[in-house]
Amino acid sequence: RPYIRVMDGNNSTLFRHYADEGENQLEAAFDQGYLNIEDKICFEIYQYGDSNVMDYTVELSVVEVADHYEPNNRFKEAKTIPVGQTTSAYLFPKGDRDYYRIDVDKPGDLDIKVSSKDPLVRPGVRILTAENATFQNWVIADEGSNEVELSREVIAVMYVIEVHHHGDNYASLKDYKLDIKLTPSNDPYEPNDSFANATEIELNRPINATIFRKGDRDYYMFRINNPCD
């Protein structure tokens, strides 16, 4: 009845498991947790209860998590992705945070959705500014849900999106999908939200514009070439 204990390089236990009673074979799997690449991992094997002698065979295998955006678990490591595409990545290992940079070329409504096929994943997402300040605070999936959505009015600047698992206590071997969509406001007279940026328009010609985003002010200037009422 074999028993296995997995340890890090400081002899701290990461994982332990033993075969069911009457069984002489044990299969065990664990993720790296908070370990980093090149950290040393040790394991101990013995007969449960030290009550017998045995010959044994050990097979080790690694399931690679092919996350093409790593390393991106810090703000300064944010990977640039285009708006309008679906990005697939992993929340692995435990405590993983994924940062993505997006360049918004027009003001509009930004819709973000994070979803996973892993029922144990509870994703969260927020939006940061280029200065690493919170633009949109965390929106977390409801308990028992594995997808989350948010919508926010944005202007034409760079933003950073941060994704994590709520609680940072789970690592998934199934990828998640990050969908980003921008619905532009299409105001041809912007930027004109200050007196200094007033847009020049012609008399007797109607214009179509948008009050977007909240708090938007539109300034226009026109020229009078002749005396008039």
Side-chain angles (χ1 to χ4, degrees), residues 38-181:
E38 297 184 357
D39 280 358
K40 183 169 67 173
I41 300 175
C42 306
F43 61 95
E44 174 188 11
I45 298 174
Y46 65 91
Q47 163 69 21
Y48 181 78
D50 293 327
S51 58
N52 204 348
V53 295
M54 64 178 184
D55 295 326
Y56 62 85
T57 301
V58 176
E59 294 183 14
L60 299 176
S61 62
V62 175
V63 178
E64 182 181 358
V65 177
D67 192 331
H68 303 293
Y69 298 96
E70 293 288 355
N72 68 334
N73 59 346
R74 293 184 293 177
F75 180 86
K76 67 180 183 179
E77 295 173 333
K79 296 296 191 294
T80 300
I81 58 174
V83 175
Q85 81 162 23
T86 297
T87 298
S88 298
Y90 293 82
L91 289 172
F92 187 94
K94 291 177 184 177
D96 186 27
R97 301 289 182 106
D98 289 343
Y99 290 83
Y100 303 95
R101 167 182 168 157
I102 59 171
D103 294 304
V104 176
D105 58 357
K106 295 180 179 179
D109 288 316
L110 187 70
D111 298 304
I112 301 175
K113 178 180 178 180
V114 182
S115 60
S116 173
K117 293 183 178 179
D118 188 334
L120 298 180
V121 168
R122 186 183 177 188
V125 61
R126 67 169 174 164
I127 305 175
L128 304 168
T129 68
E131 292 74 34
N132 198 12
T134 298
F135 177 73
Q136 167 63 55
N137 212 344
W138 286 106
V139 179
I140 308 295
D142 293 335
E143 190 170 356
S145 174
N146 54 4
E147 69 176 46
V148 63
E149 298 182 58
L150 73 82
S151 181
R152 183 65 192 268
E153 298 167 347
V154 294
I155 60 175
V157 295
M158 185 269 278
Y159 296 96
V160 172
I161 297 171
E162 181 181 0
V163 178
H164 81 144
H165 170 77
H166 181 61
D168 292 323
N169 57 357
Y170 181 67
S172 179
L173 292 175
K174 294 183 179 180
D175 64 342
Y176 66 84
K177 307 295 185 185
L178 171 62
D179 293 291
I180 305 172
K181 183 177 71 173

